């Protein structure tokens, strides 16, 4: 199956920076898109940033100019560089991967969409 390992969360003061990473592994034939979502207490999960295999990016308006998503296709890993953090960025950040699983013969088997376990980001004022 597909596993996602996230790292890089933590606590920082407003104006500081953090870098999140998410590595996908397992029976992956192809990854179409990877992204980061976040969920603050009492709020719905929302898209923060996403990137396709071709490098096309999409950002939430609230993070444009502050966050940068990047991808290492060879490692099936994405990164989220978060600068100028604000208290309203405080949330649990989840990695999401959309792609195609491989069968035992390394042929395309089925679509998949997987979530990471989440990593806490806390920004204090």
């Amino acid at each position: 199956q597909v596993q996602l390992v996230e790292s890089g969360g933590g606590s920082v003061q407003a104006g500081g920076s953090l870098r999140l990473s998410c590595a996908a592994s397992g029976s992956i034939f192809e990854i179409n898109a990877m992204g980061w979502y976040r969920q603050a207490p009492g709020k719905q999960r929302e898209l923060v940033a996403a990137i396709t295999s071709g490098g096309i990016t999409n950002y939430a308006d609230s993070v444009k100019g502050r966050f940068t998503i990047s991808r290492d296709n060879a490692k099936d890993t994405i990164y989220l560089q978060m600068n100028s953090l604000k208290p309203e960025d405080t949330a649990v950040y989840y990695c999401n991967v959309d792609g195609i699983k491989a069968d035992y013969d390394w042929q395309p088997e089925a679509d998949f969409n997987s979530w990471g376990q989440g990593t806490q980001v806390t920004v204090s004022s």
Side-chain angles (χ1 to χ4, degrees), residues 26-39:
S27 302
I28 300 171
F29 179 81
E30 181 179 270
I31 291 179
N32 298 321
M34 300 179 74
W36 290 97
Y37 289 71
R38 68 186 180 188
Q39 188 166 19

Side-chain angles (χ1 to χ4, degrees), residues 25-87:
S25 63
S27 302
I28 300 171
F29 179 81
E30 181 179 270
I31 291 179
N32 298 321
M34 300 179 74
W36 290 97
Y37 289 71
R38 68 186 180 188
Q39 188 166 19
K43 295 187 177 181
Q44 289 188 331
R45 190 172 297 189
E46 62 175 359
L47 173 69
V48 177
I51 185 167
T52 69
S53 58
I56 298 173
T57 58
N58 182 35
Y59 293 93
D61 288 342
S62 60
V63 307
K64 284 180 180 177
R66 300 188 298 121
F67 291 10
T68 301
I69 189 169
S70 60
R71 178 170 173 171
D72 184 335
N73 287 334
K75 297 180 179 180
D76 288 339
T77 299
I78 57 169
Y79 307 93
L80 185 68
Q81 179 64 44
M82 304 184 292
N83 298 328
S84 301
L85 282 161
K86 303 175 180 179

Side-chain angles (χ1 to χ4, degrees), residues 5-10 17-23 36-38 48 67-70 77-82 85 91-95 118-121:
V5 177
E6 302 163 343
S7 62
S17 299
L18 286 172
R19 187 185 191 221
L20 306 182
S21 65
C22 173
W36 290 97
Y37 289 71
R38 68 186 180 188
V48 177
F67 291 10
T68 301
I69 189 169
S70 60
T77 299
I78 57 169
Y79 307 93
L80 185 68
Q81 179 64 44
M82 304 184 292
L85 282 161
V92 178
Y93 284 68
Y94 297 91
C95 177
T119 185
Q120 177 70 45
V121 171

